[in-house]
Every structure is written in structure tokens, then in C-alpha cells.
Amino acid sequence: MIISGKEVANSIKALLSEEVAGLKEKYGRNPKLAVILVGDDPASAKYVHNKELACERVGIENLTFRLPAQATVDQVLSRVEALNSDPSVDGILVQLPLPGHICESHVIAAISPDKDVDGLSPANVARLWTERAAGLPGLNSAAPAFPVPCTPAGCMRLLSEAGVDPDGKNAVVLGRSNIVGLPVAKLLLNAGATVTVCHSHTKNLAEITSKADILVAAIGKPHFVTADMVKSGAAVIDVGINVDPVTGVLCGDVDFDAVAAKAGAITPVPGGVGPMTIAMLLENTVGCFLRRGPARSTA
Ligand code: GUN
């Protein structure tokens, strides 16, 4: 079974459009997302453009602040602080990666946790790691108590859409980044899976991955996960966004055709996790709007 993130994301966006229209009627304003883009990395510019289109589609107001690649950390921090104190802004996203001279953790820590639609600020990371039920689909997905990082939330939603319940299963996560590997591992733990996180220093990788009922690949290496590494019937979630070095075509971390023949469920690239990241961002923005108290936050 191929899990279409594109279709799932489209149905989430259709529901969100209705919800946002209802919010506008009830509170007199639409949720508003502010995005900060520093520099001119083409991939980041494309992500930000896709976010703008998605916001327009569901009725979320969108402001993008573009700063030059040589912007100083103080300039970025002032922009974050201005948005923190702007009552009309519900969500703030700083597009990553930032240019090398800007300390990402410093900037992320400056985002108000109430507006942190990426769920990456220290307060929200702490909540994810200390609250057992955090981010479980079906429990609090409509308006969770705090924002959960978008790509990991999207992976969990895709598993749930495919009818895969992680409870009691072996889950293996490839990659230990703050943005995907670590939070998705915690969400899988919260959902009752026994989780192994593998990375570049892991020995006997294929032996570990071939025991996985759920395999999440987030390492950024084209076609890295081959069929011999996958258990028959496993659910495989491919977070990779790579360019095939031979064909120049967009591809994931998974050798799709061979693995699809063996897996029980698999996400494609493109059209899998990518659209879900944006759908979760929209949900998180609406969640921030609702938690902030929309009636009070009108500018
Ligand atoms: N760059 C790639 N993915 C993401 C994401 O989910 N959030 C942010 N802020 N930057 C990214």
C-alpha cells in the first residue's frame, strides 16, 4: 500500500479551510503566520513559497520577512522579538537552515513558545519529552496543548491514516536530528512503540532495521534503505528529500520500487511526508491561534 501524503494533506487542508472560516466568523479575524527567511538558498525559498500557497488556500494570513544572507544575528533576533510582541501574529516560523554565522539554537530559543509553530523552542521540546501522551493522533491532534514539530507530527498522522498502530511494535528511526529523528522517536514512544534510534555510528544497521515493524528514514541519503534492510510487511516512512545523483530527480532515503514490493505500507517521495509537514504547520498555526485566546489577541 502506498500512503499518499498528498491526499491526506489535501483532506486536512479542506477541513482547516472550514475551521478557519468559522474562526473568522466567531472572532473577527483569521489566524496569522509570520515566516522569517534569511538568505537565498533555493530549496528554502521553495519551501517558504509552498507554505505561502498553503496558507492562502486555507485562509491563514501569511507574512514573509526576507533578510539578506549577511544579516546579523541581532537583526534576526530583533525581527523575532518584534513578531513576539505583535498581538496580531499567532505563529512564527524561522526557516532552517540559517546561514552558518547565525546560531540556530539561539534564534529558535528567542521565539515565544506560544507562537512557536515548529515546536522547536526549548519550552516546547521540554514538554514533548516530559509529557507521555503528547502529540498522539486522535487524542489531542485537533488542538494539542502545545505545538509538536511538523514533520514528526506528519509521520505519525500518516501511520494512523494507514491503519498502523505503533502500540507494542518495534520502531526504528534512522537519524537523530532535533527537527525530525529525535521528536519522531519520542512520538513513537508515546504511542507505545519500542524505539531504536540509529545514526551514522550505528553498527549492524541492516540487522536492526530488518526487525522494524515501523521504519522511519530521516538521514538525507538517496536510496539508502534497500529491500534487504526492511522486514516484510513493515510500514516505511520516508522523510528524505534528496536529488538522485544519477538522474537529477527528487528522491527519498528509501530505494522506493524494491522496498515497496516488500513493505506493507510506504510513503513516496515526492507526495509523502513533504505535503504533511505543511499541513501540520497549518494545524499548528490554528492551534496557536486557539491557545492564545483569539478574542484578546486582535490588534
Ligand atoms: N527546514 C526544513 N524543514 C523545516 C521545518 O520543518 N521547519 C523549519 N523552520 N525549517 C525547516
Side-chain angles (χ1 to χ4, degrees):
M1 166 200 191
I2 295 177
I3 316 170
S4 169
K6 196 172 166 188
E7 276 173 29
V8 177
N10 278 339
S11 49
I12 291 171
K13 283 190 260 185
L15 289 173
L16 277 173
S17 304
E18 284 174 28
E19 189 179 357
V20 167
L23 293 175
K24 164 82 176 163
E25 192 139 308
K26 188 164 174 196
Y27 299 109
R29 73 179 189 96
N30 295 36
K32 191 193 277 188
L33 172 68
V35 174
I36 300 175
L37 172 62
V38 186
D40 34 37
D41 172 56
S44 290
K46 180 155 184 266
Y47 289 138
V48 168
H49 181 61
N50 288 341
K51 286 168 191 166
E52 288 169 336
L53 294 178
C55 282
E56 262 171 48
R57 165 145 176 223
V58 304
I60 291 177
E61 257 189 74
N62 181 81
L63 288 173
T64 303
F65 295 89
R66 292 178 167 81
L67 301 181
Q70 61 278 16
T72 63
V73 68
D74 284 344
Q75 285 169 323
V76 179
L77 288 172
S78 325
R79 176 48 64 197
V80 170
E81 277 148 22
L83 295 169
N84 281 342
S85 51
D86 180 340
S88 77
V89 169
D90 300 292
I92 302 171
L93 179 143
V94 176
Q95 183 65 35
L96 304 175
L98 288 169
H101 65 283
I102 298 178
C103 172
E104 280 181 0
S105 55
H106 193 161
V107 171
I108 289 167
I111 300 171
S112 163
D114 297 339
K115 299 189 178 186
D116 169 32
V117 285
D118 259 332
L120 294 175
S121 73
N124 288 323
V125 173
R127 293 194 70 175
L128 177 64
W129 284 91
T130 51
E131 293 182 22
R132 235 180 196 213
L136 287 186
L139 267 184
N140 54 11
S141 58
F146 63 95
V148 168
C150 304
T151 301
C155 294
M156 298 304 288
R157 196 69 77 83
L158 287 173
L159 287 173
S160 140
E161 287 290 328
V164 178
D165 179 358
D167 192 46
K169 304 244 167 54
N170 278 334
V172 172
V173 177
L174 300 182
R176 53 177 162 174
S177 69
N178 287 330
I179 196 165
V180 183
L182 295 181
V184 83
K186 181 58 167 62
L187 291 173
L188 286 162
L189 266 178
N190 289 356
T194 301
V195 183
T196 306
V197 180
C198 299
H199 47 79
S200 53
H201 293 217
T202 300
K203 305 267 192 291
N204 305 324
L205 186 64
E207 199 180 302
I208 299 169
T209 57
S210 56
K211 294 197 174 74
D213 304 304
I214 297 170
L215 181 59
V216 179
I219 42 172
K221 292 189 180 166
H223 312 299
F224 182 84
V225 176
T226 47
D228 58 300
M229 297 168 72
V230 175
K231 180 177 175 178
S232 204
V236 179
I237 306 291
D238 190 350
V239 182
I241 301 179
N242 312 300
V243 174
D244 184 313
V246 179
T247 61
V249 171
L250 185 67
C251 70
D253 290 347
V254 175
D255 185 10
F256 183 82
D257 290 338
V259 173
K262 196 170 178 190
I266 185 168
T267 61
V269 178
V273 173
M276 291 299 290
T277 296
I278 293 189
M280 296 298 98
L281 170 68
L282 302 174
E283 275 198 3
N284 280 351
T285 305
V286 171
C288 286
F289 174 95
L290 292 170
R291 283 187 299 268
R292 290 181 63 237
R296 288 193 305 277
S297 57
T298 307

